[in-house]
Amino acid sequence: MTVYLNGKFMPIAEAYVPVLDRGFIFGDGVYEVIPVYSKCAFRLDEHLQRLQHSLDGIRLANPHSNAEWTQILSELIARNAGEDQYLYLHITRGVARRDHAFPQPPVPATVYAMSSPLLPPDNALLASGVAAVTAVDNRWLHCDIKAISLLPNVLLRQQAVDAGCAEAILLRHDPITGSGFMTEGAASNIFVVKNNTLLAPPKDNLMLPGITYDVVLELARAAGIAHEVRKITEAEVRNADELLLTSSTKEILAITTLDGKPVGRGKPGAMFAQLYPLYQKFKHEVMRKP
Ligand code: PMP
């Protein structure tokens, strides 16, 4: 496996970062995950735009122009085997004496990128769907930033795994009304289906603006599927006909049990059956374009 670190390509075994890197010390950095189909990065412009949003959110200058990123990532894709891969990009505020405040003057950012084989969910998983639990969203108020400090997400995802589940659906409580509402999954965005309408939570500071989320809403719009983007209550999650999770590596997956109870009929439903092939078709059409 060939990786990229601070301007050089090298075997992963040779890639080292000093212990005073602010990513290691403070989790002071951001990241991106980009799927690659047929050696071609999917929705690259949108991922690079989100990377810029994350960098702006932590007040870190982008170390590369989009043209430079494109060049680095193309070379990384070419140097790694496999038609379908996923790219992981990681940028930290660099190496400096330990002090919470930003290094003054600024030091060069640490820039790391690697590529791994992309294995979307197999047919058995697509047919069965996955189990999920609900969990209290105890993260910070900047979940729109794809920060490398993922400890809350790690603990929430482990809560799901400990319960034999694939994902945790995160719920916050309105401080005024006390009522619960859904934000996203520990590592995915979540859609609710009720009475043939696709419901999506609005993109705000409480969720990551998913690239797959955007694609699914675009596909719904184009196919004339009824959809609403609005706050989704805990009750709507618990009484859903279908629940869907989306992410760059899992694409679209049905959630068929929640907290041990079946979602709808406990099988992937009609909305999943409609959206999944649309996503596959779209992905392949985009990849065929020069
Ligand atoms: N929310 C969170 C917390 C995530 O970590 C992810 C990606 N793993 C997503 C949503 C989905 O985003 P995308 O579709 O861009 O992969």
Side-chain angles (χ1 to χ4, degrees), residues 194-276:
K194 192 69 186 176
N195 300 330
N196 304 316
T197 301
L198 184 67
L199 306 176
K203 287 200 265 184
D204 59 14
N205 62 312
L206 301 181
M207 71 172 237
L208 186 79
I211 305 297
T212 323
Y213 163 105
D214 279 343
V215 174
V216 165
L217 281 179
E218 282 173 35
L219 292 173
R221 221 168 284 137
I225 295 170
H227 59 282
E228 291 171 22
V229 178
R230 60 161 173 82
K231 210 158 190 170
I232 297 171
T233 66
E234 176 174 354
E236 287 177 310
V237 174
R238 297 199 183 280
N239 296 309
D241 295 336
E242 292 178 52
L243 294 173
L244 307 176
L245 75 75
T246 64
S247 84
S248 291
T249 51
K250 298 225 163 61
E251 302 180 342
I252 310 178
L253 203 49
I255 294 173
T256 43
T257 72
L258 184 65
D259 293 335
K261 298 191 195 96
V263 177
R265 297 209 186 100
K267 288 190 295 210
M271 189 66 79
F272 174 76
Q274 192 175 358
L275 283 171
Y276 181 79

Side-chain angles (χ1 to χ4, degrees), residues 50 139 146 153 184-189 208 210-212 246-248:
R50 184 170 69 184
R139 301 172 302 164
K146 208 161 165 59
N153 304 63
E184 59 178 338
S188 60
N189 290 115
L208 186 79
I211 305 297
T212 323
T246 64
S247 84
S248 291

Side-chain angles (χ1 to χ4, degrees), residues 1-5 8-16 76 79-80 112-115:
M1 182 175 172
T2 299
V3 303
Y4 172 91
L5 180 64
K8 296 196 189 89
F9 291 91
M10 62 191 79
I12 191 164
E14 289 172 20
Y16 283 95
L76 193 61
R79 283 173 180 253
N80 282 283
Y112 175 65
M114 64 180 169
S115 179

Side-chain angles (χ1 to χ4, degrees), residues 15 72 110 112 119 144 163 172 227 232 253 287:
I72 292 165
T110 299
Y112 175 65
L119 299 167
D144 54 319
R172 287 197 191 243
H227 59 282
I232 297 171
L253 203 49
M287 292 303 113

